[in-house]
C-alpha cells in the first residue's frame, strides 16, 4: 500500500518523515519527575494522557483498520501479537479487535478508583508499578501496529509530526520510569518489530536521549 | 534519485484524503489541534510548576528566622498541592461528589447552589444550566470554546471556574464561591450609594471589564446580578460567555419580534402567543420619577432576574440592532449601572421590557436625571459619556482619566479596604443571599442523574483551573 520509491525502508524511517515533529527539542523537561511530587501520581497522570492521545489517533484511522485490512495484530512482516484470553491461552485476533480489547481494558483500569485513585486521601495500590508496566506494554503494541500498518494513512492525513512526537514522548517517558523494555520495542531477531529502528534513528537525531 | 541537498533516503509521498471519509478527515484535524494544545499546556505547566518551586525555595532560603524543619514541611506541602492537582486532572466529577448546602441564586437557566465536595469538604458555588433551555445546540459548542479560553484566565476580576460536567438534563459548573452576594442584592438593600462608594464599585468594574476585553471577550450582559462580591468586599464578574453567549432572549431578532407583535404586551410568553389575534393596545407610559413606580420596579427587580427574559435594562442599543457591536457596549452597561447606583433605578427602567427596549433605542429622549437626586457634575458627565452613541462613547483610557475618578489609584484598588466587607460567621455563611426567597427550589436539580453513571467523557481529564499556589481549589 505504500508507494515507496527506490528504497525498501519503511516510510516512517525515511526522510523527511522520520524528522517530522510537532515538539522540537528534548522531552526531558516534560518527562522528568517534578521535585516533591509523588512519582505514582506523576506516572498515572502521564499514562492517562498517553492513553487518551493514542486512543484519539487510533480513532482517526479506525476506518482503515478493519478485520479485512488487518486480520492479525501485526507490527512487522513476521510479527503478530497474541492476546491472552480468559483461559490464559494465546489467541490471534484481528488488529481492530485486539486494539479494542486493549483500549477497553485500559479504560476500565483508569475508571477503577482502587487502581487509579481519584478520591482525596486514597493511595495507589501496592502493585501499581506492575499494572502500569502492563499498560505501557500494550499501548506500545498499539503504536507499533499503527506505524507498521497505517503510517501511510497518517501521512495522507498530514498527522506524522503529531504522531511522531507522541510516540517519541511515549518512548522517552517509558525510558525514564523503566516501563520500556527495549526487547519489546525491537522484538525478537526472527520477528523484529518494524518500528524498532526508529529508536536508534531518533537517538542519533537527538530526539531521544541515549 | 534523491533531489540535490536531500538525504539518500528522501522520498516523495503524494498525499490525498481521497480514500477517507469526511469524518476521518475532520477527526484528524481535531486530533492535531488537540495534541498541539496538549503539548503547549504540558510545556507551560512544567515551566509554571518549576517557577513555583524555585520561588518557594528562594523565599525559604531568604528567611533566616524559620527553622529548617518548617521549611522542609512547606516544601512538602507544595509537593502535596502539585500532586493533588495532577490527581484532579484524572478526576471525573459528578453530582454525587457534591452535597448541597443551600440554594443561593437563581438564573435564567437554572440555579446556583452552595455545595461542599464530599471527600475534601471544600466549598464551591455550583451553577446548573438546563440543556433543554439552552435551545440552540451549535451555540453550546460556541459557548464551550469561549469557556475553554476563559478557564485559562487567572484574572482576579473574573470568577474562577474550576470544573464542569454534565448529565442528560443539565450542564454543571463548579466555581469559586463568592460569599458577599451580588451588586443587585446590595442595591436592593441600600437603594443608592454615595458617590464615594459608587466610585469604588464603578472603578473596580472598569478594571474588570478591561480585563475581560484584554482576554478578547465582550461581556455584552454586564448587570448588577453579574457583579459578585468576594469575602473582602471586592468585585468579580460572574462567568460570562457561559450563558450570555446563548441568551436567546437577547438576540436582536427576539427583540424585533417583541417589538413587532407585542406592542405593549408585557410578558414574552404573551408576546409569543399573541400571534395574529393579538389585541392592539396603546401602552401606558408612566414616568419613572414617581416614587411609587420606582418601588414597583424594585419589588419586581429580583423576579425579573429569575425569569428567562432577563432584564434588558443595561443592554446597549447597538446590540439590539442587527449591525454588530464591539466592546464599547460594555461601557454603556457600566453607565447604566452607575446611574442606578446613584439614582436608585436604571435609566430606562419601565413597566415592561418592551418599553425599556423602546427607551434604550431612543435614549436621547429618555436619559433623564431626576431633579430630586443630587449628582455631582463629574458623575453626571461620566454617565452621559457612557450612555451615548458608540462613536462618542469614551474608551477605557478616557474613562480612567475622567475627573469622576480623581484620586483613584488604579494599581492598588483591589488591595485597599472595600466600603462593605461581608461579616461571615463560617465558610458556608449565606446571609448575603436571598435564600428565603429561594426555598421553593429543590435541593437537587430536578431530573438530574445522581447515579453517577453519566459522567461525561467529553470532559474527561479536563480541568479548567490553572494551578495557583494560594488556590483552594480541590
Ligand atoms: N460564584 C458564585 N458565588 C456566589 N454566588 C453566585 C455565584 N455565581 C452566581 N451567584 C449568585 O447566583 C445569582 C445568579 O447567578 P448568575 O447571574 O450567574 O445566573 P444567570 O442569571 O443564569 O446568569 P446570566 O448572567 O448568564 O443570566 C447571582 O446573581 C449571584 O447572586
Amino acid at each position: 500500500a505504500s508507494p515507496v520509491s527506490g528504497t525498501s525502508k519503511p516510510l516512517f524511517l525515511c526522510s523527511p518523515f522520520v524528522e517530522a515533529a510537532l515538539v522540537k527539542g528534548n522531552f526531558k523537561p516534560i518527562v522528568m519527575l517534578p521535585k516533591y511530587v509523588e512519582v505514582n501520581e506523576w506516572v498515572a497522570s502521564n499514562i492517562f494522557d498517553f492513553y487518551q492521545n493514542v486512543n484519539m489517533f487510533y480513532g482517526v484511522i479506525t476506518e482503515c483498520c478493519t478485520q479485512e485490512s488487518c486480520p492479525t495484530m501485526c507490527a512487522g512482516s513476521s510479527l503478530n501479537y497474541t492476546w491472552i484470553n480468559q483461559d490464559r491461552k494465546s489467541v490471534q485476533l484481528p488488529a481492530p479487535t485486539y486494539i479494542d480489547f486493549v483500549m477497553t481494558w485500559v479504560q476500565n483500569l483508569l475508571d477503577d478508583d482502587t487502581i487509579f485513585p481519584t478520591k482525596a486521601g486514597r493511595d495507589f495500590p501496592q502493585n501499581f508499578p506492575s499494572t502500569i508496566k502492563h499498560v505501557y506494554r500494550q499501548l506500545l503494541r498499539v503504536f507499533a501496529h499503527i506505524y507498521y500498518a497505517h503510517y501511510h494513512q497518517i501521512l495522507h492525513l498530514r498527522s506524522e509530526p503529531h504522531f511522531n512526537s507522541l510516540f517519541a514522548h511515549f518512548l522517552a517517558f517509558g525510558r525514564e520510569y523503566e516501563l520500556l523494555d527495549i526487547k519489546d520495542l525491537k522484538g525478537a531477531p526472527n520477528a523484529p518489530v518494524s518500528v524498532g529502528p526508529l529508536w536508534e534513528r531518533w537517538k542519533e537525531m537527538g530526539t531521544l536521549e541515549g | 534519485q534523491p533531489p540535490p541537498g536531500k538525504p539518500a533516503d528522501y522520498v516523495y509521498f503524494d498525499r490525498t484524503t481521497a480514500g477517507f471519509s469526511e469524518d476521518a478527515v475532520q477527526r484528524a484535524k481535531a486530533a492535531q489541534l488537540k495534541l498541539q494544545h496538549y503539548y503547549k499546556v504540558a510545556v507551560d505547566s512544567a515551566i509554571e510548576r518549576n517557577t513555583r518551586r524555585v520561588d518557594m525555595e528562594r523565599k525559604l532560603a531568604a528567611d533566616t528566622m524559620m527553622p529548617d524543619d518548617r521549611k522542609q514541611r512547606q516544601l512538602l506541602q507544595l509537593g502535596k498541592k502539585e500532586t493533588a492537582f495532577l490527581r484532579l486532572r484524572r478526576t471525573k466529577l459528578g453530582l454525587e461528589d457534591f452535597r448541597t448546602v443551600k440554594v443561593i441564586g437563581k438564573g435564567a437557566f437554572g440555579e446556583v447552589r452552595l455545595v461542599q465536595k464530599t471527600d475534601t469538604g471544600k466549598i464551591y458555588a455550583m451553577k446548573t444550566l438546563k440543556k433543554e433551555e439552552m435551545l440552540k445546540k451549535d451555540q453550546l459548542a460556541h459557548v464551550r470554546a469561549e469557556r475553554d479560553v476563559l478557564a485559562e484566565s487567572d484574572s482576579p476580576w473574573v470568577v474562577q471556574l474550576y470544573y464542569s460536567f454534565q448529565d442528560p438534563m443539565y450542564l454543571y459548573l463548579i466555581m469559586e464561591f463568592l460569599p458577599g452576594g451580588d451588586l443587585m442584592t446590595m442595591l436592593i438593600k441600600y437603594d443608592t450609594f454615595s458617590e464615594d462608594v459608587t466610585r469604588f464599585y464603578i472603578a473596580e468594574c472598569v478594571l474588570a471589564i478591561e480585563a475581560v476585553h484584554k482576554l478578547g471577550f465582550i461581556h455584552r450582559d454586564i448587570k448588577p446580578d453579574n457583579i459578585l462580591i468576594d469575602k473582602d468586599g471586592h468585585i468579580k464578574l460572574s462567568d460570562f460567555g457561559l450563558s450570555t453567549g446563548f441568551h436567546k432572549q437577547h438576540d436582536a431578532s427576539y427583540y424585533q419580534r417583541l417589538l413587532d407583535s407585542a406592542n405593549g404586551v408585557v410578558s414574552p410568553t404573551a408576546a409569543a402567543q399573541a400571534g395574529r389575534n393579538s389585541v392592539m393596545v396603546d401602552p401606558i407610559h408612566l414616568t419613572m420619577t414617581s416614587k411609587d413606580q420606582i418601588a414597583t420596579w424594585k419589588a419586581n427587580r429580583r423576579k425579573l432576574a429569575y425569569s428567562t427574559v432577563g432584564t434588558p435594562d443595561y443592554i446597549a442599543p447597538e446590540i439590539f440592532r442587527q449591525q454588530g457591536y464591539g466592546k464599547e457596549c460594555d461601557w454603556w452597561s457600566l453607565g447604566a449601572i452607575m446611574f442606578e447606583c446613584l439614582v436608585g433605578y436604571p435609566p430606562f427602567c419601565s413597566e415592561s421590557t418592551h418599553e425599556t427596549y423602546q427607551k434604550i433605542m431612543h435614549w436621547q429622549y429618555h436619559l433623564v436625571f431626576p431633579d430630586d437626586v443630587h449628582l455631582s457634575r463629574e458623575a453626571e458627565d461620566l454617565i452621559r459619556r457612557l450612555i451615548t452613541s458608540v462613536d462618542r462613547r469614551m474608551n477605557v483610557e478616557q474613562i480612567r482619566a475622567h475627573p469622576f475618578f480623581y484620586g483613584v489609584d488604579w494599581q492598588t484598588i483591589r488591595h485597599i479596604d472595600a466600603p462593605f466587607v461581608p461579616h461571615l460567621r463560617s465558610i458556608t455563611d449565606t446571609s448575603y443571599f436571598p435564600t428565603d426567597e429561594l426555598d421553593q427550589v429543590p435541593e437537587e436539580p430536578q431530573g438530574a442523574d445522581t447515579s453517577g453513571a453519566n459522567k461525561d467523557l467529553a470532559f474527561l481529564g479536563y480541568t479548567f483551573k490553572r494551578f495557583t499556589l494560594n488556590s483552594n481549589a480541590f
Side-chain angles (χ1 to χ4, degrees):
Chain A
S2 36
V4 186
S5 57
T7 168
S8 58
K9 255 204 253 180
L11 280 168
F12 55 78
L13 287 175
C14 293
S15 208
F17 312 123
V18 69
E19 292 104 16
L22 168 71
V23 181
K24 307 270 180 191
N26 202 291
F27 281 100
K28 195 95 192 162
I30 57 169
V31 163
M32 239 171 27
L33 177 68
K35 219 169 154 186
Y36 310 120
V37 166
E38 201 198 306
V39 65
N40 278 344
E41 199 67 62
W42 177 246
V43 170
S45 170
N46 278 275
I47 290 296
F48 179 94
D49 292 341
F50 284 126
Y51 167 75
Q52 303 290 338
N53 287 329
V54 71
N55 197 24
M56 181 169 76
F57 275 99
Y58 185 67
V60 171
I61 50 130
T62 175
E63 66 183 29
C64 314
C65 186
T66 62
Q67 313 264 348
E68 292 74 41
S69 72
C70 305
T72 62
M73 180 66 178
C74 49
S77 53
S78 52
L79 171 61
N80 295 318
Y81 293 118
T82 52
W83 181 258
I84 311 291
N85 71 7
Q86 283 170 331
D87 308 329
R88 306 208 147 262
K89 287 217 176 68
S90 286
V91 288
Q92 295 267 2
L93 294 173
T97 312
Y98 187 105
I99 293 176
D100 181 46
F101 280 7
V102 171
M103 295 307 190
T104 309
W105 172 67
V106 178
Q107 180 73 62
N108 285 338
L109 291 178
L110 290 170
D111 285 344
D112 186 338
D113 216 64
T114 65
I115 298 167
F116 279 84
T118 59
K119 295 268 179 291
R122 191 175 263 188
D123 271 335
F124 286 92
Q126 282 279 292
N127 63 351
F128 185 71
S130 83
T131 307
I132 283 289
K133 256 198 167 124
H134 267 79
V135 170
Y136 187 88
R137 199 152 169 258
Q138 292 296 339
L139 291 182
L140 178 62
R141 291 179 172 195
V142 175
F143 274 110
H145 175 71
I146 297 176
Y147 268 102
Y148 175 66
H150 302 291
Y151 199 70
H152 59 287
Q153 282 139 358
I154 295 279
L155 290 179
H156 281 306
L157 294 168
R158 298 175 189 277
S159 297
E160 77 277 9
H162 307 79
F163 197 65
N164 278 355
S165 283
L166 180 59
F167 188 49
H169 181 204
F170 182 76
L171 293 177
F173 191 85
R175 201 62 179 151
E176 180 81 18
Y177 299 95
E178 289 168 18
L179 305 171
L180 172 64
D181 199 335
I182 296 296
K183 276 208 310 288
D184 283 340
L185 179 59
K186 296 198 169 169
N190 60 337
V193 183
S194 168
V195 81
L198 203 52
W199 169 257
E200 303 299 336
R201 263 310 288 277
W202 281 349
K203 268 203 311 202
E204 281 165 32
M205 284 165 46
T207 309
L208 295 173
E209 306 225 307
Chain B
Q1 277 310 92
K6 301 285 186 195
D9 60 357
Y10 195 90
V11 290
Y12 281 106
F13 183 84
D14 276 328
R15 302 190 204 241
T16 168
T17 54
F20 296 89
S21 68
E22 186 57 33
D23 198 36
V25 176
Q26 292 283 320
R27 260 183 294 177
K29 192 77 216 144
Q32 291 165 14
L33 288 173
K34 279 190 192 160
L35 203 72
Q36 209 172 320
H37 179 75
Y38 174 77
Y39 280 112
K40 188 186 166 302
V41 171
V43 171
D44 287 351
S45 345
I47 294 170
E48 284 164 20
R49 212 167 21 230
N50 206 47
T51 312
R52 288 192 289 271
R53 174 179 59 83
V54 171
D55 284 354
M56 164 93 68
E57 285 175 343
R58 201 172 285 151
K59 199 187 88 203
L60 293 176
D63 189 340
T64 50
M65 307 296 283
M66 195 188 288
D68 279 352
D69 62 327
R70 241 190 87 198
K71 289 185 181 177
Q72 203 49 43
R73 269 207 309 277
Q74 287 217 2
L75 288 170
L76 290 179
Q77 199 55 39
L78 172 68
K80 277 220 175 84
K81 276 203 163 184
E82 300 279 7
T83 303
F85 184 59
L86 285 174
R87 177 167 289 198
L88 174 64
R89 295 187 62 254
R90 290 188 296 111
T91 306
K92 282 184 280 175
L93 293 179
L95 195 54
E96 71 284 359
D97 295 308
F98 298 91
R99 186 178 68 79
T100 299
V101 179
K102 210 156 189 114
V103 179
I104 53 172
K106 203 163 176 314
F109 296 108
E111 304 87 31
V112 180
R113 290 174 172 78
L114 175 67
V115 297
Q116 185 164 36
K117 188 156 182 276
T118 37
D119 64 338
T120 59
K122 294 248 153 96
I123 293 293
Y124 306 93
M126 179 176 84
K127 185 167 174 171
T128 51
L129 299 166
K130 200 165 188 175
K131 288 181 177 178
E132 201 188 327
E133 303 200 9
M134 301 195 295
L135 297 163
K136 290 184 196 161
K137 264 249 167 63
D138 50 333
Q139 284 196 328
L140 238 163
H142 152 84
V143 161
R144 207 181 264 197
E146 277 197 9
R147 181 202 52 195
D148 289 355
V149 178
L150 245 195
E152 296 197 4
S153 100
D154 260 346
S155 173
W157 299 109
V158 175
V159 175
Q160 280 290 326
L161 180 64
Y162 293 131
Y163 213 89
S164 107
F165 51 89
Q166 56 183 312
D167 65 21
M169 290 279 279
Y170 298 94
L171 188 62
Y172 301 87
L173 305 172
I174 303 292
M175 307 174 279
E176 73 179 301
F177 168 59
L178 298 197
D182 58 51
L183 199 65
M184 169 180 76
T185 305
M186 210 185 253
L187 279 166
I188 290 174
K189 183 166 160 192
Y190 292 102
D191 257 333
T192 57
F193 295 148
S194 69
E195 290 213 1
D196 284 338
V197 170
T198 302
R199 183 166 15 257
F200 171 82
Y201 288 115
I202 299 299
E204 289 214 334
C205 285
V206 169
L207 293 177
I209 294 169
E210 190 184 13
V212 169
H213 290 172
K214 278 194 179 142
L215 287 169
F217 291 98
I218 301 168
H219 195 300
R220 287 202 333 179
D221 196 17
I222 295 172
K223 52 190 178 190
D225 340 19
N226 285 336
I227 300 169
L228 305 182
I229 314 289
D230 73 9
K231 68 170 185 2
D232 301 314
H234 293 275
I235 71 130
K236 277 178 201 270
L237 293 180
S238 128
D239 50 8
F240 44 89
L242 289 166
S243 38
T244 52
F246 47 70
H247 269 191
K248 197 182 173 156
Q249 63 273 18
H250 290 163
D251 283 357
S253 57
Y254 172 86
Y255 280 97
Q256 201 52 53
R257 248 180 303 122
L258 192 64
L259 182 65
D260 292 344
S261 67
N263 202 5
V265 177
V266 177
S267 86
T269 34
Q273 287 160 359
R276 57 179 62 197
N277 289 328
S278 66
V279 180
M280 302 298 248
V281 289
D282 278 329
I284 305 157
H285 293 277
L286 296 161
T287 56
M288 288 306 298
T289 40
S290 140
K291 287 275 186 240
D292 286 352
Q293 287 307 318
I294 294 163
T296 316
W297 180 82
K298 277 192 176 295
N300 287 317
R301 176 67 177 90
R302 209 186 293 280
K303 266 194 217 119
L304 211 52
Y306 296 164
S307 80
T308 33
V309 198
T311 164
D313 273 296
Y314 311 92
I315 296 178
E318 65 265 24
I319 299 213
F320 298 134
R321 291 190 207 106
Q322 310 272 9
Q323 295 116 346
Y325 55 86
K327 56 189 181 195
E328 309 83 20
C329 68
D330 288 337
W331 300 121
W332 168 290
S333 305
L334 188 65
I337 294 168
M338 180 173 167
F339 184 105
E340 179 173 350
C341 288
L342 294 169
V343 175
Y345 50 87
F348 309 110
C349 80
S350 320
E351 287 282 276
S352 69
T353 51
H354 164 73
E355 210 179 302
T356 303
Y357 166 84
Q358 288 283 23
K359 286 190 187 174
I360 292 171
M361 296 311 274
H362 304 109
W363 56 270
Q364 296 93 329
Y365 309 103
H366 297 281
L367 178 61
V368 182
F369 288 83
D371 303 333
D372 53 346
V373 184
H374 174 76
L375 263 64
S376 70
R377 238 193 20 232
E378 293 79 15
E380 183 172 333
D381 184 74
L382 178 56
I383 291 170
R384 287 192 186 280
R385 287 169 194 271
L386 295 174
I387 303 182
T388 185
S389 57
V390 177
D391 54 318
R392 305 175 70 176
R393 213 172 294 159
M394 290 201 297
N395 63 27
V396 67
E397 285 79 30
Q398 294 167 324
I399 294 169
R400 275 171 172 247
H402 192 275
F404 176 73
F405 293 118
Y406 182 77
V408 169
D409 184 344
W410 298 96
Q411 304 305 318
T412 60
I413 188 159
R414 218 193 149 82
H415 305 290
I416 65 165
D417 289 341
F420 304 110
V421 179
H423 296 287
L424 301 166
R425 271 161 287 124
S426 70
I427 52 165
T428 57
D429 190 339
T430 55
S431 46
Y432 291 89
F433 295 88
T435 52
D436 46 332
E437 295 175 38
L438 294 162
D439 54 6
Q440 309 298 341
V441 180
E443 282 271 295
E444 299 289 343
Q446 294 290 286
D449 182 339
T450 49
S451 69
N454 242 297
K455 291 186 170 183
D456 178 34
L457 279 180
F459 290 98
L460 188 83
Y462 200 109
T463 61
F464 301 104
K465 182 70 180 102
R466 277 227 234 137
F467 188 87
T468 53
L469 199 49
N470 54 5
S471 140
N472 291 318
F474 297 94

